Amino acid sequence: MRNNIKELRKAKGYRQEDLATALGVSRQTIIAIENNKYNPTLELAMKLARYLQTTVEELFTLEEDV
């Protein structure tokens, strides 16, 4: 699964630390999600979407096996 959280976060002028604090997670968690090293729980994905004022579908793209 890929995401565009980093791009949306930067476009809104948020730092990783701002996002982490607002969502109650560590900055390392935000880094891991942005680098596609960790897929967040559904709850965290929904919180991310709400905070970034978008939808979960806009944040994450499922990569299909071809």
Side-chain angles (χ1 to χ4, degrees):
M1 187 162 56
R2 295 277 175 211
N3 69 72
N4 62 349
I5 293 168
K6 185 175 188 175
E7 293 80 12
L8 288 171
R9 174 181 60 75
K10 285 185 171 188
K12 295 199 174 282
Y14 299 137
R15 299 175 305 151
Q16 290 173 329
E17 193 171 318
D18 299 329
L19 194 54
T21 300
L23 300 175
V25 298
S26 69
R27 182 171 165 263
Q28 288 77 15
T29 298
I30 300 301
I31 292 168
I33 294 169
E34 287 184 352
N35 291 322
N36 297 302
K37 303 282 186 202
Y38 172 72
N39 289 329
T41 63
L42 179 57
E43 180 180 4
L44 183 53
M46 292 177 81
K47 287 180 180 180
L48 278 162
R50 184 175 297 151
Y51 191 79
L52 294 172
Q53 300 173 320
T54 189
T55 64
V56 172
E57 292 84 359
E58 290 291 323
L59 284 181
F60 298 93
T61 305
L62 184 61
E63 293 183 329
E64 310 251 350
D65 290 339
V66 184

